[in-house]
């Protein structure tokens, strides 16, 4: 039976966790802080649970320099749950902005004598105006660069209707019908940022790293930058980034994003929690019966209360029973990085991630007669390295995987939807493990494996 040190796991998620964190977890599961009960057994309303949340937030704030303008939330439902939550919350924000603007305009007209009528008449006019704006102007922009962003756009279309979803980028159209590239920003068809008397899209979503297709955005898109003359609430794009698979692996300017979310099970912890970093000005009062009625009258969805970000924020992520053990694991992983890199913060991990990716890609590129990297070079993921063996020959790829397992290199099979080989290079994958994989790649290419 192999020991933990004998196996180097490159699965796409759930992913490896640092061994010291797991060793500490084994003790915490049995007897947390010498209380005679395990951490899975403590109340989520207890002081200990609140301390776990506070520690995890503090570690994440330190790593990414999360500014005071943003709130950190812990939820359940995974990244897929946030596909829905982003729509529920940000469409509601868009509607509320439009409602206030309509009310202000009509009240001005009423004061000037241009409008007359009772409150009921005013409400009816506001509703009529909103119905027209929802029909003609409500748009959600999606940059579809891989399987997960495609799923996100499909969920948005399911919730609000395909007519309101603007696929500003479909990377397959410029790559022979397959994912593996990101078209130049000059080709993106984003909803216009400025409209007479109105705002642009309710959100602009993209997946920062696509696990299935091995595509990663090299940096924050220039076309989504806030311009100097932008008003933060109306004109700047409401950028939503799914960072499930490259979270806390490189520097991120959190201030540029309205929302960052990610499932924990890649770089942060075990499956069970989702982390959301959301700009506080997008956390109005929770959905009320009146605002819910308005959304329904407009033909728009009202989300489950457990996905309502204002409600979760108001309750310190404890509106319902949060899996505190999962938050504790995430906090331990992030604190481990804080302690490891000190004042360098996430830059230390970024350097290690880049090193590990380079070790693998250099070997793949050196043997083009054997290996073909799937995505284009300028958008290659550091986290999910996708390639084919012998042009995708099924038998040779099967032999490659079998040989890798004999060396303790596991989890390398590509996603079932695309096949091939995928080496997921998450934070807890060690440099030693990557070096062993690189050596195996060399040996297999030379026929000496």
């Amino acid at each position: 039976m192999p020991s933990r040190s004998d196996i180097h796991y490159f699965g796409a998620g759930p992913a490896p966790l640092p061994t010291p964190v797991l060793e500490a977890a084994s003790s915490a599961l049995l007897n947390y802080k010498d209380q005679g009960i395990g951490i899975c057994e403590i109340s989520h309303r207890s002081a200990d649970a609140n301390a776990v949340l506070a520690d995890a937030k503090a570690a994440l704030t330190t790593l990414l320099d999360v500014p005071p303008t943003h709130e950190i939330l812990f939820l359940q439902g995974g990244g897929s749950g946030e596909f829905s939550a982003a729509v529920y919350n940000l469409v509601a924000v868009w509607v509320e902005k439009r409602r206030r603007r309509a009310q202000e305009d009509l009240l001005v007209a009423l004061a000037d004598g241009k409008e007359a009528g009772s409150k009921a008449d005013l409400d009816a006019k506001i509703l009529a105006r909103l119905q027209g704006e929802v029909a003609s102007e409500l748009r959600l922009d999606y940059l579809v660069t891989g399987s997960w962003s495609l799923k996100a756009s499909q969920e948005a279309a399911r919730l609000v209707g395909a007519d309101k979803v603007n696929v500003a980028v479909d990377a397959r159209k410029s790559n022979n019908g397959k994912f593996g590239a990101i078209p130049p920003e000059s080709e993106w068809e984003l909803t216009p940022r400025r409209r007479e008397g109105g705002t642009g899209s309710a959100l602009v979503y993209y997946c920062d790293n696509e696990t299935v297709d091995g595509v990663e955005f090299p940096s924050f898109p220039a076309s989504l930058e806030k311009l100097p003359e932008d008003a933060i609430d109306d004109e700047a794009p409401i950028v939503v980034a799914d960072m499930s698979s490259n979270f806390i692996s490189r520097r991120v300017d959190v201030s540029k994003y309205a929302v960052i979310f990610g499932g924990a099970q890649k770089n942060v912890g075990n499956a069970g929690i989702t982390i959301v970093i959301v700009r506080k000005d997008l956390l109005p009062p929770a959905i009320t019966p009146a605002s819910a009625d308005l959304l329904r009258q407009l033909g728009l969805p009202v989300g489950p209360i457990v996905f309502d970000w204002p409600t979760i924020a108001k309750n310190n992520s404890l509106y319902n029973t949060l899996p505190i053990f999962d938050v504790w694991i995430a906090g331990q992983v992030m604190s481990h990085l804080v302690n490891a890199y000190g004042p360098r913060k996430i830059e230390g991990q970024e350097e290690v991630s880049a090193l590990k990716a380079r070790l693998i890609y250099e070997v793949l590129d050196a043997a083009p007669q054997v290996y073909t990297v799937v995505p284009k070079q300028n958008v290659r993921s550091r986290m999910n390295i996708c390639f084919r063996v012998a042009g995708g020959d099924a038998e040779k790829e099967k032999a490659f995987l079998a040989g890798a397992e004999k060396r303790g290199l596991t989890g390398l099979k590509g996603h079932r939807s695309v096949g091939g080989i995928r080496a997921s290079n998450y934070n807890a994958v060690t440099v030693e493990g990557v070096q062993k994989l690189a050596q195996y790649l060399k040996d297999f290419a030379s026929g000496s494996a």
Side-chain angles (χ1 to χ4, degrees):
M1 178 182 296
S3 68
R4 182 174 178 83
S5 61
D6 294 329
I7 300 298
H8 298 282
Y9 182 63
F10 294 89
L17 287 163
T19 296
V21 170
L22 291 178
E23 290 172 341
S26 66
S27 174
L29 279 169
L30 288 173
N31 190 351
Y32 183 61
K33 296 173 67 174
D34 294 324
Q35 297 182 64
I37 61 171
I39 190 169
C40 288
E41 301 163 297
I42 67 172
S43 169
H44 67 297
R45 305 291 185 195
S46 66
D48 282 333
N50 278 275
V52 167
L53 275 164
D55 290 346
K57 286 183 180 182
L60 179 54
T61 298
T62 297
L63 280 176
L64 294 186
D65 288 319
V66 177
T69 52
H70 286 63
E71 183 71 55
I72 298 171
L73 309 177
F74 295 91
L75 303 92
Q76 293 163 282
S80 295
E82 292 309 305
F83 294 168
S84 308
V87 174
Y88 292 135
N89 285 277
L90 296 178
V91 166
V93 168
W94 187 93
V95 167
E96 177 58 17
K97 288 179 181 177
R98 294 304 185 96
R99 187 199 66 77
R100 289 180 181 176
R101 179 175 297 162
Q103 179 175 275
E104 290 169 1
D105 290 349
L106 288 168
L107 287 174
V108 169
L110 183 64
D112 292 343
K114 297 176 182 177
E115 294 281 351
S118 64
K119 182 180 183 303
D121 293 332
L122 181 65
D123 290 344
K125 289 176 181 178
I126 291 173
L127 177 61
R129 174 166 155 174
L130 287 176
Q131 287 171 329
E133 291 181 351
V134 166
S136 63
E137 297 185 37
L138 175 59
R139 296 293 181 270
L140 288 70
D141 288 353
Y142 282 80
L143 311 183
V144 177
T145 57
S147 299
W148 291 110
S149 49
L150 176 61
K151 288 179 183 291
S153 70
Q154 291 169 337
E155 174 64 357
R158 188 182 73 85
L159 292 175
V160 299
D163 61 313
K164 294 179 176 58
V165 174
N166 172 42
V167 177
V169 175
D170 185 339
R172 295 169 296 184
K173 293 181 179 179
S174 62
N175 196 47
N176 300 316
K178 295 182 179 181
F179 292 122
I182 299 177
E185 292 188 40
S186 59
E187 298 177 12
W188 297 5
E189 298 179 351
L190 295 164
T191 298
R193 291 173 65 168
R194 299 180 186 280
R195 296 185 176 199
E196 188 66 29
T199 60
S201 57
L203 64 88
V204 182
Y205 163 93
Y206 73 96
C207 182
D208 205 35
N209 182 78
E210 292 278 3
T211 59
V212 174
D213 309 286
V215 171
E216 184 174 27
F217 278 79
S219 59
F220 186 84
S223 57
L224 302 184
E225 291 276 3
K226 179 187 173 187
L227 301 176
E229 64 271 25
D230 283 342
I232 191 170
D233 59 341
D234 273 352
E235 304 299 347
I238 305 297
V239 181
V240 178
D242 177 356
M243 294 188 182
S244 292
S245 51
N246 64 354
F247 198 60
I248 61 169
S249 71
R250 65 178 179 183
R251 289 167 294 179
V252 173
D253 185 350
V254 175
S255 67
K256 293 183 177 182
Y257 298 87
V259 182
I260 294 171
F261 69 80
Q265 67 273 15
K266 311 291 188 181
N267 280 322
V268 191
N270 53 289
I273 57 164
T274 313
I275 300 174
V276 176
I277 306 174
V278 58
R279 214 171 64 206
K280 289 179 180 178
D281 68 305
L282 298 173
L283 294 173
I287 293 291
T288 64
S291 58
D293 284 344
L294 176 59
L295 289 170
R296 281 190 286 267
Q297 289 179 75
L298 296 171
L300 297 172
V302 179
I305 194 71
V306 292
F307 283 165
D308 187 61
W309 294 336
T311 297
I312 302 304
K314 181 181 178 181
N315 289 275
N316 189 32
S317 297
L318 295 171
Y319 177 80
N320 61 325
T321 305
L322 189 69
I324 293 299
F325 174 69
D326 301 339
V327 179
W328 182 85
I329 288 284
Q332 292 292 303
V333 169
M334 292 186 289
S335 295
H336 179 77
L337 294 179
V338 170
N339 293 332
Y341 299 119
R344 298 173 66 210
K345 302 177 182 178
I346 205 63
E347 290 184 12
Q349 182 59 51
E350 183 174 12
E351 290 177 8
V352 173
S353 296
L355 168 64
K356 293 189 296 179
R358 185 169 67 251
L359 288 172
I360 298 173
Y361 280 124
E362 284 179 350
V363 179
L364 296 174
D365 289 338
Q369 73 282 4
V370 179
Y371 305 119
T372 305
V373 178
V374 173
K376 293 187 180 298
Q377 189 165 13
N378 66 328
V379 294
R380 287 178 177 179
S381 170
R382 299 163 303 121
M383 297 287 104
N384 306 99
I385 299 169
C386 300
F387 60 97
R388 304 307 299 255
V389 176
D393 182 279
E395 290 304 313
K396 290 186 178 179
E397 289 189 338
K398 185 177 179 180
F400 175 90
L401 292 170
E405 292 220 4
K406 290 180 180 177
R407 297 196 184 190
L409 306 169
T410 63
L412 288 164
K413 188 175 181 179
H415 191 272
R416 62 186 180 279
S417 65
V418 295
I421 313 297
R422 173 174 56 177
S424 293
N425 182 33
Y426 299 129
N427 286 359
V429 172
T430 64
V431 174
E432 177 192 4
V434 168
Q435 290 171 331
K436 288 186 176 181
L437 174 58
Q439 186 59 54
Y440 174 65
L441 287 166
K442 291 177 184 178
D443 293 346
F444 187 89
S446 66
S448 59

